Amino acid sequence: MKSLPTYTPGQLIAFEKEIEAVFLAGKIRAPVHFSGGNEQQLIDIFSDIKPEDWVLSTWRSHYHALLKGVDPTWLRQEIIQGRSMYVHSKEHRFLTSSIAGGILPIGLGLAQALEWKNRPDHVWCFVGDMTARMGILHECLSYAEGHGMPLTVVIEDNGLSTNTPTGKTWGSWDAASVHEGRLKTINTYIMYYRYERTMPHVGAGQWVDFEPVGLV
Amino acid sequence: MKMLEKLSALEDAMNMLSSNARVIFVGQNVVYPGAATFKALAGVPEAQRVEFPVAEDMQMGFCIGLSLLGYIPVCIYPRFDFLVLAMNQLVNHLDKLRTASQDAWKPGVIIRTRVGAKRPLDAGPQHTQDHTVALCSMFQSVKVVSIYSDYQAFATYSGALDRAERGYSSVVVEAM
């Protein structure tokens, strides 16, 4: 496998801005969850990720896909064709789920298989701060840690789940301190970073006029 | 006598599955006794068994991950009532990964479950349900097959193995 490509924060932002323009023109007939605000953190994390590793992501996966080596032209086309939430590449060992926490047990099974096959590859699962509180994360981390599996969960904390403040729903007003104080140190299978998102949960924050389907 | 015949038919089916080196049995009471699904595994080598914690949805996703790297997991839930707790990975992931990924991923998993018996002991409403019809209505690619008599066991599991090798999954409901 070729080495992973390197991107600057500006190049990642430019990719999303180009997609945003297409989206605002009404040319994409599906939800798009833009990335933004976490460019440098992801560039740093991906410097530790090997081409042979597996990367599992969510409905917001454009940056992860680019940094894992997915061809930007192909990715752009996938997004325009309405598959922003379903970016998958077997060639690049890149898999997503649009269900919160959905990738975690799949990643666990991949990690188990890699271990049984004595392969040196690693599994990286990128999740948000709400998923970090879900039971499935704690089950998977318990199993991965207990069996010494090659799995790392990267928690990307922007404090929000769609637009709901994660910490507030769980009874803590300060999500960042809870995560930094607890999750960051819970075990070596977790990486954590905090960021402020620069884009809405979904869409680009503006109304989009779509041409009625079937009318000329 | 009838119970012995049933066990023998299922045991033959499990032995047939285990003769494929890619097959791994995953679930509760796979290594340790305690459920009715255990005894049919008597002839399955220990190396092909993974005793799993009670984490039903995680178990299903774990099996999906194994299948993506070439294994054929037989994902065992001792009762249909317990399989209900794995619906997210079963319906949203195992069943949808092919279409969501445009066939990039082709997970082939065999799910083995059984409808809890009501005779001679009735285990009540949380241990004896048969949700086959509801399950069928939720699937696009996963096939559900019920076994109602002993002689169906071998052929049904053979069919499920064939589907798994082609990257399709099956739920086999033992309802004898």
Side-chain angles (χ1 to χ4, degrees):
Chain A
M1 249 181 203
K2 291 189 296 186
S3 59
L4 293 183
T6 54
Y7 283 90
T8 64
Q11 288 171 320
L12 292 174
I13 292 168
F15 179 88
E16 290 292 63
K17 287 295 172 194
E18 186 188 347
I19 299 290
E20 182 184 349
V22 180
F23 182 79
L24 289 173
K27 305 291 187 190
I28 302 175
R29 295 280 183 150
V32 178
H33 300 74
F34 291 99
S35 301
N38 56 347
E39 294 81 13
Q40 191 57 56
Q41 292 95 325
L42 286 178
I43 289 167
D44 292 343
I45 290 168
F46 271 81
S47 68
D48 289 330
I49 296 177
K50 302 188 303 293
E52 296 79 13
D53 289 349
W54 287 73
V55 168
L56 279 60
S57 179
T58 64
W59 47 91
R60 190 188 323 281
S61 70
H62 301 174
Y63 281 177
H64 305 131
L66 290 170
L67 290 163
K68 187 60 176 59
V70 172
D71 176 57
T73 304
W74 179 85
L75 178 60
R76 181 179 185 276
Q77 201 57 31
E78 286 291 294
I79 297 166
I80 289 172
Q81 290 175 3
R83 291 192 282 273
S84 171
M85 293 171 65
Y86 303 96
V87 178
H88 293 266
S89 172
K90 188 173 184 179
E91 178 190 353
H92 296 94
R93 299 179 181 175
F94 187 82
L95 182 151
T96 63
S97 170
S98 286
I99 303 291
I103 54 172
L104 292 166
I106 298 173
L108 190 71
L110 288 167
Q112 177 68 90
L114 291 173
E115 193 184 68
W116 283 342
K117 290 171 182 278
N118 287 318
R119 299 233 293 247
D121 319 331
H122 198 85
V123 179
W124 303 78
C125 295
F126 289 80
V127 302
D129 46 283
M130 185 63 94
T131 299
R133 309 291 188 97
M134 290 173 68
I136 192 68
L137 180 135
H138 294 284
E139 289 178 14
C140 291
L141 281 176
S142 297
Y143 198 92
E145 186 179 29
H147 291 273
M149 288 187 179
L151 177 98
T152 299
V153 177
V154 182
I155 298 170
E156 306 178 305
D157 180 5
N158 59 24
L160 297 169
S161 173
T162 62
N163 297 311
T164 300
T166 303
K168 200 169 178 178
T169 60
W170 283 101
S172 164
W173 289 83
D174 186 352
S177 68
V178 170
H179 285 306
E180 288 174 2
R182 264 180 40 196
L183 290 177
K184 192 174 184 181
T185 56
I186 197 166
N187 63 41
T188 55
Y189 293 85
I190 293 180
M191 289 183 72
Y192 168 92
Y193 71 88
R194 181 86 173 90
Y195 77 105
E196 298 294 327
R197 76 182 189 195
T198 57
M199 296 295 288
H201 164 65
V202 63
Q206 299 177 39
W207 287 105
V208 178
D209 290 325
F210 293 103
E211 289 179 13
V213 176
L215 297 179
V216 179
Chain B
M1 186 64 186
K2 191 177 179 189
M3 185 67 85
L4 285 176
E5 286 172 7
K6 185 194 299 182
L7 192 59
S8 176
L10 286 171
E11 204 172 328
D12 286 348
M14 295 302 112
N15 290 345
M16 175 274 298
L17 291 174
S18 69
S19 67
N20 184 319
R22 293 167 59 199
V23 169
I24 299 285
F25 296 78
V26 181
Q28 291 88 54
N29 300 127
V30 167
V31 174
Y32 304 99
T37 45
F38 172 76
K39 288 184 179 174
L41 303 176
V44 175
E46 290 271 337
Q48 283 175 273
R49 305 193 213 179
V50 177
E51 183 76 13
F52 218 68
V54 179
E56 292 86 353
D57 204 46
M58 182 174 90
Q59 178 182 320
M60 186 69 70
F62 179 85
C63 287
I64 295 171
L66 291 181
S67 75
L68 297 181
L69 275 169
Y71 291 97
I72 300 176
V74 178
C75 188
I76 298 177
Y77 296 89
R79 292 179 189 268
F80 211 142
D81 317 75
F82 307 161
L83 178 59
V84 171
L85 281 93
M87 284 299 117
N88 172 42
Q89 285 297 326
L90 177 55
V91 176
N92 289 327
H93 294 85
L94 182 62
D95 185 59
K96 305 299 185 299
L97 261 181
R98 285 186 78 110
T99 48
S101 70
Q102 299 181 93
D103 282 345
W105 310 120
K106 300 173 182 176
V109 178
I110 300 169
I111 293 115
R112 178 188 173 206
T113 192
R114 66 189 291 273
V115 179
K118 293 187 177 178
R119 289 180 300 172
L121 301 176
D122 186 344
Q126 293 175 331
H127 272 49
T128 60
Q129 298 302 315
D130 183 350
H131 299 292
T132 301
V133 174
L135 205 58
C136 288
S137 72
M138 289 187 272
F139 288 151
Q140 294 175 354
S141 67
V142 173
K143 186 175 181 180
V144 185
V145 185
S146 292
I147 301 175
Y148 293 106
S149 63
D150 311 343
Y151 66 82
Q152 293 177 304
F154 195 92
T156 302
Y157 278 108
S158 291
L161 179 60
D162 178 61
R163 278 176 56 79
E165 286 181 317
R166 291 185 288 112
Y168 289 95
S169 298
S170 307
V171 178
V172 180
V173 182
E174 297 170 5
M176 302 105 102

